[in-house]
Amino acid sequence: LLLKHMEGKEFCELDRVKVEELEVLSKEDTPKGRNAQYMLARRYFEGNWVYNELPNEKKGLTWMKDNALKGHLPSQEYLTYWEMKYDNNALNFKKIEQVLSEAGATSSLAGTTLGEFFFLQSSAMPGYMEKSFEAYTKAAKLGCPLAQYWVGTLKHMGKGIEKNVPEAIEYLTKAKKGGNKNACYQLFRIYSEEEKHIDELKAYQNLLKVCIFGVPHFDTLNKYFRGHFDKIKDYFAKLNTLEGYNDGEIMNLHEAFAYDLTKQFQDALHADKLYQRVSAYYLDNQMWILGYYAKYFVTRAIFYDHLDFLIALKGELKPLFSDLGKYILNAYSKHLNNKGKKDLKKQAQAAIELINIYNEKGLDYLKKEGKYRLANRFAPKKGVKASKSRSDETVIYYWQDYVNPQYLKMERSPGIFCNSCKKKQGVEKFKICSACKKVYYCSKQCQISDWKSNHKKECATLKNQKQLIISS
């Protein structure tokens, strides 16, 4: 969840604790005890691949409801989202508004959810657009780039408040710096449409960032470049070291550049849809979150310690471990190289390498602490001094809060799981153990790893159990 900083710090620290320790802490009748019970309930809801803890939704629901009855606001908030996603019969709109309004003082997610809640009803309910703006403004003050984007957009459109383009630019710029590249598209619209703020170069630069970070406006990018060629060509030529090229060649190279971006994006999206990866289940207006994760990975998560990184991998970075994630990081890396930001480019390459390692060798390889030390290897002359802590983040976006609920429902359905990394079988069929015929693996690497650490001890027993059943 997006949390107030100090409260979020405690939750991040509790996220590093095993279930057994959380159970002990949750018995304390103190604020920390209630927070521990909240994290325990979340652990049961979501599982934890760092400690190989499988989900137990029934237990999670029991613990969360108990904590909510004790007046624990984050638990009430979590249950509200759970009902909105999975239990539409239990929805009570007055209760939703009450819980999220109270939680919005400290939770940006509550503020943005409430803002959307009011926005979607504003055409039929007088005064709801003003309520939407108010909710987004509260969340924006907590540092949420999504809320900052909406405040800027509403100020630009003059909805819920009087139109104010300079203030819109201010909020959208904050959202852009925070990683929300949807804000870049809104800035593009301002610099290309608003008479007093027309700036073709700024418009193009913002639109380019939108496309690099995975929001698909490739046709618009090429069309705008062609329509304002004389004012943009020098920037594009300098960015891509095209010294000595004539106008026709620059035009053709830009068209090829936009075509390559389009094809790479479409190929990556197709692959992720085929393998039912989470990255394929973001709607167009939610694709910005992938760009946010890319920047977060490259500039901060890559300097976490081993445990923080694994937790972030499950909680925030999962959508990037995909073909779309690699596409965005590769485009980001090339852009950093063109801008001469060599240190950041190395960090982006490190992130891409980690995704390749994960795809080739599996999660168990990454779990071995000595296998990689990114802060020492990729941060020039910084080493351990560059280390960052996940608990110091002002806001954290969990991928589950922004993905299409269709994916979450599919993930919750019964299915076959890898016995090593706990990944769920999608289109690509898993291999079954040829001896016991009881457990499945997503890759040869997972099977080898699990055999050494676990399955070697249980395989014969599982095989005998099957034979006993057949005999009887």
Side-chain angles (χ1 to χ4, degrees):
L1 299 172
L2 289 165
L3 301 163
K4 188 174 66 176
H5 181 56
M6 291 309 294
E7 192 176 46
K9 189 177 181 73
E10 184 172 316
F11 284 139
C12 284
E13 288 167 355
L14 287 169
D15 218 0
R16 296 168 64 94
V17 175
K18 292 184 179 180
V19 159
E20 296 80 7
E21 295 173 66
L22 286 173
E23 286 177 343
V24 173
L25 288 169
S26 67
K27 291 174 183 176
E28 297 177 12
D29 190 17
T30 62
K32 185 174 182 179
R34 298 286 70 79
N35 286 342
Q37 183 170 332
Y38 165 77
M39 289 306 296
L40 176 64
R42 282 197 63 159
R43 193 71 61 84
Y44 282 130
F45 267 118
E46 300 163 12
N48 186 301
W49 66 356
V50 179
Y51 298 124
N52 292 322
E53 297 163 356
L54 290 173
N56 184 330
E57 192 173 279
K58 190 175 179 181
K59 252 187 175 181
L61 202 55
T62 301
W63 280 97
M64 198 68 83
K65 283 183 175 179
D66 176 70
N67 217 25
L69 288 171
K70 293 171 184 173
H72 189 253
L73 191 55
S75 299
Q76 294 171 356
E77 186 184 353
Y78 190 94
L79 279 176
T80 300
Y81 301 137
W82 187 86
E83 288 171 358
M84 290 167 75
K85 289 172 186 171
Y86 307 121
D87 191 11
N88 292 338
N89 295 326
L91 285 181
N92 180 322
F93 290 111
K94 284 187 178 179
K95 183 185 172 187
I96 290 172
E97 184 177 342
Q98 180 187 342
V99 171
L100 296 183
S101 294
E102 193 176 344
T106 58
S107 166
S108 297
L109 180 58
T112 54
T113 305
L114 195 61
E116 185 177 3
F117 177 78
F118 288 133
F119 185 87
L120 293 173
Q121 299 178 78
S122 60
S123 58
M125 302 290 285
Y128 267 40
M129 186 60 77
E130 287 75 14
K131 281 188 172 186
S132 175
F133 179 79
E134 185 182 339
Y136 280 129
T137 302
K138 284 181 181 178
K141 288 177 180 177
L142 295 173
C144 172
L146 176 58
Q148 290 164 349
Y149 160 76
W150 273 109
V151 172
T153 299
L154 293 174
K155 279 179 175 286
H156 176 213
M157 297 164 67
K159 290 193 173 183
I161 193 171
E162 188 178 343
K163 182 170 179 172
N164 189 322
V165 177
E167 287 187 10
I169 291 172
E170 184 183 337
Y171 272 96
L172 290 167
T173 303
K174 285 180 185 177
K176 170 184 168 181
K177 288 179 179 176
N180 187 337
K181 300 310 175 188
N182 267 353
C184 293
Y185 186 73
Q186 202 66 27
L187 285 167
F188 158 73
R189 290 192 59 194
I190 290 173
Y191 291 128
S192 62
E193 297 171 7
E194 292 291 340
E195 189 176 344
K196 292 181 180 178
H197 300 273
I198 295 292
D199 187 320
E200 291 85 353
L201 182 55
K202 280 186 178 180
Y204 176 80
Q205 288 170 334
N206 278 285
L207 189 56
L208 179 61
K209 279 198 173 179
V210 171
C211 295
I212 286 170
F213 282 94
V215 184
H217 289 292
F218 309 113
D219 288 342
T220 307
L221 180 74
N222 201 42
K223 186 178 178 182
Y224 192 79
F225 183 83
R226 294 179 74 90
H228 302 84
F229 180 75
D230 288 338
K231 295 189 177 179
I232 304 171
K233 65 177 182 179
D234 290 343
Y235 173 77
F236 179 74
K238 184 178 179 182
L239 195 63
N240 294 277
T241 58
L242 302 178
E243 190 177 344
Y245 285 70
N246 63 41
D247 286 359
E249 290 170 328
I250 292 173
M251 184 77 81
N252 290 336
L253 284 168
H254 188 276
E255 195 163 317
F257 166 71
Y259 172 80
D260 285 345
L261 282 179
T262 307
K263 188 175 187 312
Q264 289 163 17
F265 176 84
Q266 290 174 342
D267 288 348
L269 183 61
H270 176 74
D272 288 347
K273 281 182 178 177
L274 181 66
Y275 293 109
Q276 296 183 344
R277 295 176 183 138
V278 60
S279 50
Y281 286 83
Y282 286 95
L283 303 176
D284 282 352
N285 65 338
Q286 296 168 322
M287 291 296 287
W288 68 271
I289 198 77
L290 295 175
Y292 173 87
Y293 289 141
K295 187 173 181 181
Y296 165 65
F297 193 178
V298 169
T299 59
R300 301 196 297 286
I302 213 163
F303 297 114
Y304 288 169
D305 70 13
H306 180 69
L307 183 54
D308 267 359
F309 175 74
L310 290 178
I311 292 169
L313 181 56
K314 185 260 181 186
E316 302 102 66
L317 298 175
K318 180 179 176 178
L320 282 186
F321 282 69
S322 62
D323 281 58
L324 263 180
K326 283 177 67 176
Y327 157 78
I328 291 169
L329 284 165
N330 273 311
Y332 185 29
S333 175
K334 288 175 185 174
H335 183 68
L336 291 169
N337 184 57
N338 289 343
K339 299 282 280 185
K341 297 180 178 180
K342 294 182 180 179
D343 286 2
L344 278 174
K345 185 209 168 183
K346 287 181 182 179
Q347 288 160 216
Q349 289 297 318
I352 294 166
E353 184 180 335
L354 267 174
I355 293 173
N356 290 333
I357 290 171
Y358 173 80
N359 290 337
E360 291 169 15
K361 301 187 178 181
L363 179 66
D364 281 343
Y365 185 88
L366 290 183
K367 280 185 178 179
K368 296 172 184 176
E369 192 166 356
K371 290 297 182 182
Y372 62 93
R373 185 73 183 113
L374 294 172
N376 287 335
R377 186 175 172 192
F378 293 100
K381 300 178 182 177
K382 292 178 184 176
V384 179
K385 288 182 181 178
S387 293
K388 299 180 187 295
S389 171
R390 186 168 172 268
S391 65
D392 288 334
E393 297 296 334
T394 305
V395 293
I396 290 176
Y397 286 94
Y398 284 89
W399 65 265
Q400 297 98 323
D401 295 325
Y402 297 92
V403 74
N404 190 326
Q406 180 190 351
Y407 178 83
L408 299 175
K409 288 174 183 176
M410 181 185 72
E411 199 178 49
R412 291 169 77 232
S413 62
I416 292 169
F417 294 84
C418 174
N419 204 49
S420 177
C421 70
K422 312 305 177 190
K423 176 183 175 183
K424 189 175 181 179
Q425 179 178 271
V427 175
E428 191 176 15
K429 301 298 181 186
F430 288 176
K431 296 176 182 177
I432 194 169
C433 174
S434 59
C436 69
K437 311 284 186 188
K438 283 287 187 77
V439 299
Y440 293 82
Y441 296 99
C442 65
S443 65
K444 187 177 180 180
Q445 290 79 11
C446 271
Q447 186 171 10
I448 292 169
S449 175
D450 191 51
W451 177 259
K452 292 176 182 177
S453 63
N454 177 46
H455 192 54
K456 187 176 182 180
K457 302 167 192 173
E458 64 179 13
C459 187
T461 306
L462 291 171
K463 184 179 180 181
N464 289 336
Q465 283 176 354
K466 186 175 182 180
Q467 288 173 344
L468 283 168
I469 291 167
I470 292 169
S471 302
S472 58

